[in-house]
Amino acid sequence: MWTVWRRGRIAATIGERALAVRADVTDPAQVADLVKAAEHTFGPVDLFCSNAGIATGTGIEAPLDMWNASWSVNVMAHAHAANAVLPSMLARGEGYLLQTVSAAGLLTCPGDAPYTATKHAALGLAEWLAMTYGPSGIRVSALCPMGVRTNMLMPGIEAGHASALAVAAGGPIIEPAEVADAVITGLADERFLILPHPEVADMYARKAAAPDKWLGGMRHVYSERK
């Protein structure tokens, strides 16, 4: 209930330019209704920011319901959003999909197997959408930050969870406002990869150039954080 209350409060603070709609992003019908509500109030959707995500802090032994929830939120929510807005965008010959992935989609997330696997899948989906619909005027960006000071990361750091500590060790923990600035710049430049932590580009390049060496380094980092 707190999340619903907070969403309504934020919309009220923004004023007439905002509309609070409760929706389960894992339910394609509810996502479609969300888009219809926005279109009814504001007109065609030019930019859809698909941002929902969950972490588990568990390994390969995670219960099946955790694996299913990670897949439903971290991957299928992006697919449902695209299905809801693409028909109108394609009819107009323009539109933008911004999908929050995570640097884990390019690299990995030590200590969280469901998060790592589904974020890699989310990046693959974003690439497929960009390749398939780019010629039709649809632009796609994948937002891939590392550590951000939010309630998704900070409690794990305070509790000493290995996966959260590994994220904190990978680079600076930045503020949400810094991510927003990176998004605005990335959308203006129409970049596929939006990297609020610029060092992720170098890490990704090193991984691609020497995967065995990169894996060796990651094993060492993770063993130190366990």
Side-chain angles (χ1 to χ4, degrees):
M1 291 302 296
W2 179 84
T3 302
V4 176
W5 170 81
R6 185 170 180 268
R7 186 190 305 117
R9 182 184 179 192
I10 292 172
T13 300
I14 296 173
E16 295 181 355
R17 295 176 299 162
L19 175 68
V21 179
R22 182 176 183 174
D24 179 350
V25 297
T26 69
D27 183 343
Q30 292 190 44
V31 174
D33 287 342
L34 166 66
V35 171
K36 290 176 183 176
E39 290 176 336
H40 176 75
T41 304
F42 303 113
V45 175
D46 297 309
L47 168 67
F48 193 103
C49 303
S50 184
N51 186 62
I54 58 172
T56 70
T58 59
I60 193 71
E61 75 285 353
L64 183 59
D65 61 344
M66 280 190 179
W67 278 100
N68 289 338
S70 295
W71 180 260
S72 295
V73 177
N74 293 346
V75 182
M76 292 309 299
H78 297 305
H80 299 329
N83 275 323
V85 296
L86 274 173
S88 175
M89 290 181 174
L90 289 169
R92 301 193 316 272
E94 61 179 359
Y96 213 130
L97 301 173
L98 172 65
Q99 300 182 335
T100 301
V101 175
S102 168
L106 296 166
L107 304 170
T108 191
C109 184
D112 199 325
Y115 190 79
T116 296
T118 54
K119 289 300 184 176
H120 276 69
L123 181 65
L125 175 62
E127 290 174 345
W128 187 90
L129 289 167
M131 172 192 70
T132 303
Y133 296 108
S136 300
I138 309 303
R139 293 155 291 172
V140 180
S141 288
L143 174 60
C144 299
M146 284 198 293
V148 182
R149 195 176 303 279
T150 69
N151 289 334
M152 188 172 181
L153 175 64
M154 301 312 295
I157 292 176
E158 293 166 4
H161 290 166
S163 59
L165 293 176
V167 171
I173 298 174
I174 64 176
E175 300 298 325
E178 296 177 82
V179 179
D181 289 340
V183 167
I184 292 171
T185 301
L187 292 177
D189 294 341
E190 298 185 8
R191 292 200 301 269
F192 175 70
L193 289 180
I194 297 179
L195 306 176
H197 294 79
E199 58 267 37
V200 169
D202 291 334
M203 295 177 183
Y204 187 41
R206 290 199 298 271
K207 174 185 175 182
D212 293 313
K213 182 178 180 181
W214 179 83
L215 279 170
M218 291 303 298
R219 292 186 190 106
H220 177 70
V221 169
Y222 183 54
S223 66
E224 288 185 338
R225 298 293 181 275
K226 293 176 69 174

